[in-house]
Amino acid sequence: MDLAARITAIENVEAIKALKYRYWRACDGKDPEGFRDCFIAKGARIDYGRMGAFDDVAPMVDIFAKVALYTVDGKHVIFDMHHGMHPDITLTGEATATGRWTLRFRQVNLLMQTETIANIEYDDDYVIEDGEWKMSRSVSTETWSMTRPLDPAATVTEPD
């Protein structure tokens, strides 16, 4: 592989990493539009285990919005933290790639008064659509999780 091709490959891998990080940032930022923009326009295959499996991103965006944006007395009650790591990206063509990731997930649920932590593995497919890398398939597999009651003395705050 010549130098120009190697540089292009590195740039493509970095663009895919940036896409996945934008996706997780949208999840934590309660941003359904940002979440949606990480996937192809039509026909993305999504399988998020207990959350459901879909042949397009729209139903998953609806679920995400209902959970992430749910409020009680004007305050959010679900807080998520997605810390993705261990990217393993393979370019499979000029405009296609696969990727595997490990996610450290944490959620505080003020409705249930619980905290959940989990380890989740992602297997993704990526394509270039309209000049940008997008996810065309995303499958997550929870390898373990732990849910525990929140300490009654715990205080959860968010900016006004």
Side-chain angles (χ1 to χ4, degrees), residues 67-79:
V67 172
L69 300 178
Y70 187 76
T71 61
V72 173
D73 297 328
K75 302 262 185 197
H76 291 107
V77 293
I78 304 291
F79 299 92

Side-chain angles (χ1 to χ4, degrees), residues 11-155:
E11 288 174 339
N12 282 327
V13 168
E14 290 303 312
I16 291 167
K17 288 179 185 178
L19 165 69
K20 194 68 173 187
Y21 294 139
R22 270 193 316 277
Y23 163 78
W24 283 322
R25 198 169 288 111
C27 291
D28 293 346
K30 302 180 179 303
D31 179 4
E33 186 175 314
F35 177 99
R36 200 272 162 259
D37 287 344
C38 292
F39 291 89
I40 58 175
K42 295 203 182 293
R45 176 72 183 136
I46 299 170
D47 186 344
Y48 287 168
R50 287 184 271 168
M51 293 185 72
F54 311 97
D55 291 323
D56 191 63
V57 70
M60 189 61 228
V61 172
D62 290 344
I63 291 169
F64 170 76
K66 285 177 186 166
V67 172
L69 300 178
Y70 187 76
T71 61
V72 173
D73 297 328
K75 302 262 185 197
H76 291 107
V77 293
I78 304 291
F79 299 92
D80 290 340
M81 183 169 61
H82 296 73
H83 286 183
M85 63 196 74
H86 308 311
D88 182 5
I89 310 298
T90 302
L91 300 173
T92 58
E94 287 185 24
T96 58
T98 61
R100 297 193 65 211
W101 297 82
T102 299
L103 173 67
R104 284 179 163 174
F105 175 75
R106 189 174 197 168
Q107 182 181 78
V108 173
N109 182 327
L110 297 179
L111 290 175
M112 304 296 291
Q113 289 295 300
T114 58
E115 173 191 34
T116 298
I117 59 172
N119 187 72
I120 299 169
E121 295 294 320
Y122 277 87
D123 285 298
D124 298 335
D125 290 340
Y126 309 97
V127 299
I128 293 178
E129 182 178 79
D130 297 328
E132 294 184 46
W133 284 101
K134 302 284 184 168
M135 286 185 273
S136 61
R137 183 183 70 88
S138 185
V139 176
S140 69
T141 304
E142 187 177 285
T143 59
W144 66 269
S145 69
M146 176 180 65
T147 301
R148 58 185 168 204
L150 283 177
D151 183 322
T155 303

